[in-house]
PDB file of all heavy atoms in Angstrom:
ATOM      1  N   GLU K 293       6.241  -6.712 -29.503  1.00  0.00           N
ATOM      2  CA  GLU K 293       4.811  -6.667 -29.219  1.00  0.00           C
ATOM      3  C   GLU K 293       4.509  -7.308 -27.869  1.00  0.00           C
ATOM      4  O   GLU K 293       3.623  -6.856 -27.137  1.00  0.00           O
ATOM      5  CB  GLU K 293       4.035  -7.388 -30.328  1.00  0.00           C
ATOM      6  CG  GLU K 293       4.086  -6.685 -31.672  1.00  0.00           C
ATOM      7  CD  GLU K 293       3.578  -5.258 -31.603  1.00  0.00           C
ATOM      8  OE1 GLU K 293       2.519  -5.033 -30.983  1.00  0.00           O
ATOM      9  OE2 GLU K 293       4.240  -4.362 -32.165  1.00  0.00           O
ATOM     10  N   GLN K 294       5.249  -8.352 -27.525  1.00  0.00           N
ATOM     11  CA  GLN K 294       5.073  -8.991 -26.225  1.00  0.00           C
ATOM     12  C   GLN K 294       5.457  -8.046 -25.102  1.00  0.00           C
ATOM     13  O   GLN K 294       4.781  -7.973 -24.071  1.00  0.00           O
ATOM     14  CB  GLN K 294       5.924 -10.266 -26.158  1.00  0.00           C
ATOM     15  CG  GLN K 294       5.748 -11.061 -24.867  1.00  0.00           C
ATOM     16  CD  GLN K 294       6.696 -12.253 -24.806  1.00  0.00           C
ATOM     17  OE1 GLN K 294       7.867 -12.149 -25.143  1.00  0.00           O
ATOM     18  NE2 GLN K 294       6.188 -13.389 -24.353  1.00  0.00           N
ATOM     19  N   GLU K 295       6.546  -7.277 -25.292  1.00  0.00           N
ATOM     20  CA  GLU K 295       6.975  -6.311 -24.290  1.00  0.00           C
ATOM     21  C   GLU K 295       5.911  -5.246 -24.058  1.00  0.00           C
ATOM     22  O   GLU K 295       5.690  -4.810 -22.921  1.00  0.00           O
ATOM     23  CB  GLU K 295       8.288  -5.655 -24.717  1.00  0.00           C
ATOM     24  CG  GLU K 295       9.507  -6.550 -24.579  1.00  0.00           C
ATOM     25  CD  GLU K 295      10.765  -5.852 -25.041  1.00  0.00           C
ATOM     26  OE1 GLU K 295      10.676  -4.671 -25.436  1.00  0.00           O
ATOM     27  OE2 GLU K 295      11.834  -6.479 -25.010  1.00  0.00           O
ATOM     28  N   LYS K 296       5.260  -4.807 -25.113  1.00  0.00           N
ATOM     29  CA  LYS K 296       4.209  -3.805 -24.965  1.00  0.00           C
ATOM     30  C   LYS K 296       3.080  -4.322 -24.081  1.00  0.00           C
ATOM     31  O   LYS K 296       2.608  -3.624 -23.179  1.00  0.00           O
ATOM     32  CB  LYS K 296       3.654  -3.400 -26.335  1.00  0.00           C
ATOM     33  CG  LYS K 296       4.616  -2.655 -27.230  1.00  0.00           C
ATOM     34  CD  LYS K 296       3.943  -2.352 -28.559  1.00  0.00           C
ATOM     35  CE  LYS K 296       4.921  -1.828 -29.583  1.00  0.00           C
ATOM     36  NZ  LYS K 296       4.267  -1.565 -30.882  1.00  0.00           N
ATOM     37  N   ARG K 297       2.660  -5.545 -24.363  1.00  0.00           N
ATOM     38  CA  ARG K 297       1.559  -6.126 -23.572  1.00  0.00           C
ATOM     39  C   ARG K 297       1.967  -6.351 -22.126  1.00  0.00           C
ATOM     40  O   ARG K 297       1.197  -6.055 -21.198  1.00  0.00           O
ATOM     41  CB  ARG K 297       1.095  -7.428 -24.219  1.00  0.00           C
ATOM     42  CG  ARG K 297       0.381  -7.246 -25.543  1.00  0.00           C
ATOM     43  CD  ARG K 297      -0.278  -8.531 -25.998  1.00  0.00           C
ATOM     44  NE  ARG K 297       0.714  -9.531 -26.380  1.00  0.00           N
ATOM     45  CZ  ARG K 297       1.184  -9.689 -27.608  1.00  0.00           C
ATOM     46  NH1 ARG K 297       0.759  -8.891 -28.581  1.00  0.00           N
ATOM     47  NH2 ARG K 297       2.060 -10.638 -27.870  1.00  0.00           N
ATOM     48  N   LEU K 298       3.179  -6.858 -21.920  1.00  0.00           N
ATOM     49  CA  LEU K 298       3.631  -7.125 -20.556  1.00  0.00           C
ATOM     50  C   LEU K 298       3.873  -5.840 -19.776  1.00  0.00           C
ATOM     51  O   LEU K 298       3.710  -5.806 -18.555  1.00  0.00           O
ATOM     52  CB  LEU K 298       4.910  -7.969 -20.584  1.00  0.00           C
ATOM     53  CG  LEU K 298       4.735  -9.420 -21.039  1.00  0.00           C
ATOM     54  CD1 LEU K 298       6.088 -10.105 -21.161  1.00  0.00           C
ATOM     55  CD2 LEU K 298       3.851 -10.190 -20.070  1.00  0.00           C
ATOM     56  N   SER K 299       4.259  -4.772 -20.474  1.00  0.00           N
ATOM     57  CA  SER K 299       4.473  -3.500 -19.776  1.00  0.00           C
ATOM     58  C   SER K 299       3.183  -2.970 -19.167  1.00  0.00           C
ATOM     59  O   SER K 299       3.207  -2.218 -18.188  1.00  0.00           O
ATOM     60  CB  SER K 299       5.071  -2.462 -20.734  1.00  0.00           C
ATOM     61  OG  SER K 299       4.118  -2.085 -21.723  1.00  0.00           O
ATOM     62  N   LEU K 300       2.045  -3.369 -19.763  1.00  0.00           N
ATOM     63  CA  LEU K 300       0.759  -2.962 -19.195  1.00  0.00           C
ATOM     64  C   LEU K 300       0.564  -3.551 -17.801  1.00  0.00           C
ATOM     65  O   LEU K 300      -0.084  -2.940 -16.946  1.00  0.00           O
ATOM     66  CB  LEU K 300      -0.385  -3.392 -20.110  1.00  0.00           C
ATOM     67  CG  LEU K 300      -0.513  -2.670 -21.450  1.00  0.00           C
ATOM     68  CD1 LEU K 300      -1.615  -3.283 -22.278  1.00  0.00           C
ATOM     69  CD2 LEU K 300      -0.768  -1.186 -21.233  1.00  0.00           C
ATOM     70  N   PHE K 301       1.112  -4.748 -17.574  1.00  0.00           N
ATOM     71  CA  PHE K 301       0.988  -5.352 -16.247  1.00  0.00           C
ATOM     72  C   PHE K 301       1.725  -4.517 -15.212  1.00  0.00           C
ATOM     73  O   PHE K 301       1.222  -4.300 -14.105  1.00  0.00           O
ATOM     74  CB  PHE K 301       1.531  -6.786 -16.271  1.00  0.00           C
ATOM     75  CG  PHE K 301       0.559  -7.782 -16.820  1.00  0.00           C
ATOM     76  CD1 PHE K 301       0.538  -8.067 -18.174  1.00  0.00           C
ATOM     77  CD2 PHE K 301      -0.354  -8.419 -15.999  1.00  0.00           C
ATOM     78  CE1 PHE K 301      -0.364  -8.983 -18.697  1.00  0.00           C
ATOM     79  CE2 PHE K 301      -1.260  -9.335 -16.502  1.00  0.00           C
ATOM     80  CZ  PHE K 301      -1.266  -9.615 -17.858  1.00  0.00           C
ATOM     81  N   HIS K 302       2.940  -4.058 -15.549  1.00  0.00           N
ATOM     82  CA  HIS K 302       3.689  -3.228 -14.606  1.00  0.00           C
ATOM     83  C   HIS K 302       3.034  -1.856 -14.419  1.00  0.00           C
ATOM     84  O   HIS K 302       2.992  -1.325 -13.312  1.00  0.00           O
ATOM     85  CB  HIS K 302       5.127  -3.051 -15.087  1.00  0.00           C
ATOM     86  CG  HIS K 302       6.021  -4.192 -14.737  1.00  0.00           C
ATOM     87  ND1 HIS K 302       6.164  -4.660 -13.446  1.00  0.00           N
ATOM     88  CD2 HIS K 302       6.832  -4.973 -15.497  1.00  0.00           C
ATOM     89  CE1 HIS K 302       7.007  -5.665 -13.435  1.00  0.00           C
ATOM     90  NE2 HIS K 302       7.427  -5.889 -14.663  1.00  0.00           N
ATOM     91  N   SER K 303       2.542  -1.276 -15.498  1.00  0.00           N
ATOM     92  CA  SER K 303       2.019   0.083 -15.428  1.00  0.00           C
ATOM     93  C   SER K 303       0.591   0.160 -14.925  1.00  0.00           C
ATOM     94  O   SER K 303       0.217   1.131 -14.262  1.00  0.00           O
ATOM     95  CB  SER K 303       2.099   0.736 -16.820  1.00  0.00           C
ATOM     96  OG  SER K 303       3.420   0.780 -17.279  1.00  0.00           O
ATOM     97  N   LEU K 304      -0.231  -0.859 -15.241  1.00  0.00           N
ATOM     98  CA  LEU K 304      -1.650  -0.808 -14.915  1.00  0.00           C
ATOM     99  C   LEU K 304      -2.094  -1.902 -13.954  1.00  0.00           C
ATOM    100  O   LEU K 304      -2.684  -1.617 -12.914  1.00  0.00           O
ATOM    101  CB  LEU K 304      -2.471  -0.902 -16.207  1.00  0.00           C
ATOM    102  CG  LEU K 304      -2.673   0.394 -16.992  1.00  0.00           C
ATOM    103  CD1 LEU K 304      -3.324   0.099 -18.328  1.00  0.00           C
ATOM    104  CD2 LEU K 304      -3.523   1.380 -16.207  1.00  0.00           C
TER     105      LEU K 304
END
Side-chain angles (χ1 to χ4, degrees):
E293 293 303 314
Q294 184 185 43
E295 286 179 2
K296 293 179 190 179
R297 291 191 291 269
L298 290 174
S299 69
L300 291 175
F301 279 90
H302 278 306
S303 300
L304 277 172

